[in-house]
Amino acid sequence: MQLALISDIHGNLPALNAVLKDIHFHGVDHIVNLGDIVSGGLFPAETADRLMPLSLPTIRGNHERQLLETDFSGMSLSDKHAFKSLQAEHWAWLKGLPAQLTINEDILMVHGAPGDDLIYLLEKVTASGVKPSSEARVLALIAGRNESLILCGHTHIPREMRLSDGRLIVNPGSVGLQAYDDDTPFVHVMESGSPHARYAIVEKHNGLWKADFKAVEYDWESTASVALSNNRPDYFNALRTGRM
């Protein structure tokens, strides 16, 4: 079975459409969505409208949780933009999304790490920068999980880790936002280094899952201009360059 992984769309409908077209080109019938779907400075309602009819296996990310649980006055700019755009049918869809999901009893979908949508599973943020996680750290974070394939998002960085027991953990990167900064637990930036929309295709070969990472062109210049017109200059460079 081939499975296309999308994550961290952040309301970037042009990037999403380009990725869905590329997935169709590669003949992949099954797609899963790892969350952070609508929040950002772009097209939240339109992105939800595009995805809802597809009925993809989908989990909520930290931004969906924040939209559902946070008072408007305490929301980030990204969540406020989504909040003001979403309609009743969109809210009903978001409320129905699980925090994590298991497929075929052997594939686990999480946004950050099992039980916590804010943890970076395949990266560790330190005072000196962001570093790839050690296997020991990852094993501690997935303790009690036995799935052979674990899918995560949240960091926007395409990455995989093959565990010593053969299991695979995959972050497909971000469809819609190729760089961001954060101040928790230390100030840091996450940058994919190019503006391409990212996703991945996974497939089992000889009993082991393997990942094929994809980078797709779309009209990021026009999309960045939309973010600028929506008072999100912080998105402008990130969308155009994949860097902060």
Side-chain angles (χ1 to χ4, degrees), residues 19-31:
V19 163
L20 292 176
K21 182 178 180 180
D22 199 68
I23 290 171
H24 179 74
F25 172 79
H26 287 286
V28 182
D29 295 323
H30 303 286
I31 308 171

Side-chain angles (χ1 to χ4, degrees), residues 29-46:
D29 295 323
H30 303 286
I31 308 171
V32 300
N33 181 356
L34 299 168
D36 276 9
I37 303 162
V38 295
S39 289
L42 296 168
F43 309 99
E46 296 88 341

Side-chain angles (χ1 to χ4, degrees), residues 119-190:
I119 289 180
Y120 292 2
L121 183 55
L122 295 181
E123 292 86 8
K124 182 178 181 180
V125 180
T126 71
S128 58
V130 181
K131 303 176 181 179
S133 287
S134 65
E135 181 169 348
R137 177 178 182 271
V138 170
L139 288 173
L141 290 171
I142 65 170
R145 307 303 313 199
N146 298 310
E147 292 86 356
S148 67
L149 179 64
I150 296 177
L151 311 176
C152 62
H154 188 46
T155 70
H156 298 207
I157 303 299
R159 196 182 299 276
E160 66 179 330
M161 176 181 283
R162 175 80 63 190
L163 300 177
S164 298
D165 60 12
R167 290 185 293 165
L168 186 65
I169 303 174
V170 181
N171 184 330
S174 172
V175 169
L177 183 61
Q178 299 310 320
Y180 69 89
D181 56 14
D182 200 352
D183 57 5
T184 303
F186 302 98
V187 174
H188 63 281
V189 296
M190 305 298 283

Side-chain angles (χ1 to χ4, degrees), residues 60-236:
R60 67 176 65 167
N62 59 292
H63 279 278
E64 281 74 52
R65 175 181 53 77
Q66 291 159 194
L67 279 169
L68 294 168
E69 297 178 0
T70 307
D71 182 78
F72 182 81
S73 63
M75 287 182 180
S76 66
L77 290 176
S78 291
D79 292 342
K80 284 181 176 179
H81 181 69
F83 186 93
K84 290 185 288 187
S85 300
L86 299 177
Q87 303 300 311
E89 62 272 21
H90 306 135
W91 287 110
W93 179 58
L94 295 181
K95 288 176 182 177
L97 299 179
Q100 58 189 50
L101 190 63
T102 303
I103 301 174
N104 297 338
E105 300 183 352
D106 197 39
I107 302 171
L108 176 65
M109 297 168 55
V110 299
H111 182 69
D116 194 322
D117 58 23
L118 291 175
I119 289 180
Y120 292 2
L121 183 55
L122 295 181
E123 292 86 8
K124 182 178 181 180
V125 180
T126 71
S128 58
V130 181
K131 303 176 181 179
S133 287
S134 65
E135 181 169 348
R137 177 178 182 271
V138 170
L139 288 173
L141 290 171
I142 65 170
R145 307 303 313 199
N146 298 310
E147 292 86 356
S148 67
L149 179 64
I150 296 177
L151 311 176
C152 62
H154 188 46
T155 70
H156 298 207
I157 303 299
R159 196 182 299 276
E160 66 179 330
M161 176 181 283
R162 175 80 63 190
L163 300 177
S164 298
D165 60 12
R167 290 185 293 165
L168 186 65
I169 303 174
V170 181
N171 184 330
S174 172
V175 169
L177 183 61
Q178 299 310 320
Y180 69 89
D181 56 14
D182 200 352
D183 57 5
T184 303
F186 302 98
V187 174
H188 63 281
V189 296
M190 305 298 283
E191 301 174 316
S192 70
S194 85
H196 297 76
R198 308 299 182 115
Y199 79 99
I201 298 173
V202 294
E203 187 173 11
K204 222 171 193 179
H205 295 276
N206 299 320
L208 290 177
W209 289 99
K210 295 187 178 180
D212 182 12
F213 293 94
K214 304 293 186 182
V216 181
E217 292 187 4
Y218 73 102
D219 188 357
W220 46 73
E221 294 288 348
S222 295
T223 304
S225 295
V226 171
L228 199 59
S229 70
N230 287 334
N231 297 312
R232 294 304 301 273
D234 54 321
Y235 263 46
F236 186 70

